[in-house]
Amino acid sequence: MKWHEILIRYGELTTKGRNRKQFITRLRENLRFSFADIPDMKIRAERDRMYISSDKDEDMDELIKRLPTVFGIHSFSPVAKCEPTLDAMKELAINIMKSIDTDGKTFKVNAKRSDKRFPLDTYELQLEMGGHVLSNIPNLHVQMKEPEIELRIEVREHAVYMMVEVIPGAGGLPVGANGKALLLLSGGIDSPVAGYYMMKRGVRIEAIHFFSPPYTSDRSLEKVKDLAERMSRFGANVRLHIIPFTEIQQVIQQQVPENVTMTSTRRMMMKISDAVREEIGATAIVTGENLGQVASQTLESLAAINEVTSTPILRPLITYDKLEIIDVARKIYTYDISIRPYEDCCTVFTPASPKTKPKLEKVVYYESFTDFDEMIKKAVQNREIHTFPKQKQDEFADLL
């Protein structure tokens, strides 16, 4: 099926007031970023909808395939066009209906006559087109209220535009419309899902990962990079900050009683994250923590971890059931990456009997015997930064 353009519906963006234009502009920029590999793509934005197109059929197919991952889009419809004659309209309508599953479905025709010079009025056009479709498409039934298929026809001055399929979008707000936050990306199942939900609310994400070689392997780091690459497909690039964490973890294991090492580890992670957050100009820290899932995620543990910073710590999964999180991870294609059997620095050093209700004053007391500030500063300064998606390299470039 040859499509002329794709109609994009904003959804939640239409509820915005005076700043609606800013959200629409952000969506347009994110689309250009997401489809930078389609240089011929054209975008036309209007108050309540947006149109994108390309002269190449293969580009249009690729746009339709990838649009559902871009936040800020409620739904979209591929649109075909023909000359404003009844014969051309009938031929196009049949071609469109044959491109979808119609067997046993209900349908109706919804016509809009923007060009009032067209010889048939709206009611006559709907009758003519509906009758033609019914006589050519078997096992199709008319239903005027909430049909399964709605053939929409708009007659304009120089052409007629038709659409039938309404494809759900990712919803939410365009990434970057609600500021920037730093995500603690562990490599597990939860944190990528937390990042996904924040991006859906328009937050641009940078990620931070704590790497402790030789206790954690290069394969565990590669897993985290693959997760960052996957998250960059939701409409914006993702920078990943890799923190050398071995020295700090070793000192914690030596200086802090075993049953509160996890609490101290998380506190040091939070201090480092806060320093990086300030440096990159982010407003909040995001984690994939889920209330009561492990010892470090009880209310008492979270309170002890929070104590090291006044920065807002956002936990979008705090009330989620683990199975719900897994379902979302599968939906966004991070699950198979997350379950690769390579441990992160937290799971490697998990104590046998961690405190579920650590006393803050005791944790602070144990930490006071070591000057962690210098180690934290060193870890921040020595971090590696990677940007995703990775640019594809020309395999023949070295030969030139």
Side-chain angles (χ1 to χ4, degrees):
M1 185 68 214
K2 181 177 177 61
W3 301 109
H4 168 70
E5 61 187 11
I6 300 172
L7 165 65
I8 293 175
R9 302 174 185 86
Y10 297 141
E12 186 176 348
L13 268 62
T14 60
T15 65
K16 303 301 177 184
R18 295 178 181 178
N19 60 349
R20 179 190 298 195
K21 185 177 180 180
Q22 298 175 18
F23 284 89
I24 293 173
T25 299
R26 174 60 62 183
L27 175 58
R28 182 170 55 216
E29 291 174 354
N30 289 354
L31 285 169
R32 292 197 185 282
F33 171 82
S34 298
F35 301 111
D37 58 328
I38 305 179
D40 294 330
M41 181 185 69
K42 304 175 185 68
I43 301 178
R44 186 175 85 256
E46 297 180 358
R47 178 176 173 80
D48 295 318
R49 57 185 60 187
M50 183 179 290
Y51 298 89
I52 61 175
S53 62
S54 174
D55 295 331
K56 299 177 181 178
D57 292 346
E58 58 270 24
D59 288 351
M60 293 296 287
D61 291 340
E62 189 66 16
L63 288 167
I64 293 169
K65 177 183 176 182
R66 286 158 52 184
L67 271 173
T69 65
V70 180
F71 291 121
I73 298 175
H74 177 261
S75 66
F76 63 93
S77 296
V79 180
K81 76 170 183 177
C82 65
E83 296 179 355
T85 65
L86 201 54
D87 287 342
M89 293 166 62
K90 288 180 178 179
E91 181 180 358
L92 179 59
I94 297 303
N95 288 338
I96 290 176
M97 296 298 288
K98 286 182 177 180
S99 71
I100 63 173
D101 178 21
T102 60
D103 190 34
K105 300 289 181 65
T106 58
F107 99 109
K108 76 172 183 179
V109 175
N110 188 342
K112 179 180 179 182
R113 197 170 56 116
S114 299
D115 181 8
K116 303 304 181 184
R117 296 172 301 175
F118 192 79
L120 299 181
D121 64 25
T122 299
Y123 180 71
E124 292 170 335
L125 180 58
Q126 290 177 165
L127 283 178
E128 185 72 25
M129 295 300 296
H132 182 72
V133 169
L134 279 175
S135 63
N136 286 273
I137 305 295
N139 300 321
L140 198 61
H141 311 284
V142 173
Q143 182 172 303
M144 300 308 294
K145 188 175 181 181
E146 297 182 358
E148 295 169 282
I149 300 171
E150 183 176 358
L151 176 62
R152 303 183 186 186
I153 303 172
E154 183 175 352
V155 181
R156 303 181 196 172
E157 184 177 354
H158 300 295
V160 172
Y161 295 82
M162 293 189 197
M163 70 187 83
V164 67
E165 194 173 11
V166 178
I167 303 172
L173 300 173
V175 175
N178 260 339
K180 181 164 65 175
L182 182 65
L183 169 70
L184 274 67
L185 188 61
S186 67
I189 296 171
D190 300 343
S191 53
V193 176
Y196 167 83
Y197 276 123
M198 294 307 300
M199 294 174 80
K200 186 172 184 178
R201 296 313 305 159
V203 177
R204 184 178 297 280
I205 288 295
E206 294 200 23
I208 185 169
H209 177 72
F210 296 87
F211 185 47
S212 295
Y215 305 104
T216 53
S217 68
D218 288 340
R219 288 189 173 184
S220 72
L221 183 57
E222 195 63 34
K223 177 170 76 167
V224 172
K225 291 179 179 178
D226 288 346
L227 287 171
E229 177 76 31
R230 178 66 227 171
M231 292 177 64
S232 71
R233 300 181 187 180
F234 298 122
N237 63 358
V238 173
R239 287 207 306 169
L240 173 64
H241 303 258
I242 300 172
I243 302 293
F245 200 54
T246 306
E247 180 185 10
I248 293 176
Q249 279 205 282
Q250 288 175 330
V251 172
I252 290 173
Q253 298 302 312
Q254 295 166 5
Q255 300 295 329
V256 177
E258 184 185 23
N259 60 0
V260 291
T261 54
M262 185 57 66
T263 303
S264 278
T265 298
R266 299 293 292 181
R267 281 164 59 86
M268 296 306 132
M269 286 180 171
M270 199 60 69
K271 286 185 176 183
I272 291 172
S273 298
D274 205 24
V276 173
R277 174 208 61 79
E278 185 174 8
E279 187 175 312
I280 65 175
T283 309
I285 294 171
V286 180
T287 79
E289 290 164 320
N290 173 258
L291 189 61
Q293 184 170 251
V294 293
S296 64
Q297 296 177 17
T298 64
L299 281 178
E300 291 81 2
S301 293
L302 294 177
I305 295 166
N306 284 12
E307 188 268 342
V308 302
T309 178
S310 60
T311 297
I313 302 173
L314 308 179
R315 298 178 169 97
L317 305 184
I318 196 70
T319 63
Y320 275 54
D321 182 278
K322 188 66 176 185
L323 294 178
E324 293 174 324
I325 299 171
I326 290 173
D327 286 343
V328 177
R330 287 195 170 110
K331 170 187 169 185
I332 64 175
Y333 301 104
T334 60
Y335 179 76
D336 288 340
I337 303 173
S338 295
I339 63 173
R340 293 176 192 169
Y342 311 120
E343 295 183 302
D344 59 49
C345 63
C346 289
T347 54
V348 167
F349 286 97
T350 300
S353 301
K355 280 275 189 183
T356 58
K357 298 181 179 182
K359 299 293 185 182
L360 176 59
E361 60 274 14
K362 289 188 177 181
V363 176
V364 173
Y365 173 74
Y366 298 136
E367 293 173 356
S368 68
F369 293 101
T370 304
D371 184 8
F372 283 104
D373 291 343
E374 278 302 313
M375 286 186 283
I376 288 172
K377 183 178 179 181
K378 178 182 174 183
V380 171
Q381 290 175 341
N382 292 338
R383 74 188 189 274
E384 293 181 14
I385 303 175
H386 299 263
T387 301
F388 300 90
K390 287 292 187 184
Q391 297 297 319
K392 292 182 179 179
Q393 296 182 347
D394 186 350
E395 58 183 317
F396 301 108
D398 293 340
L399 302 177
L400 301 177

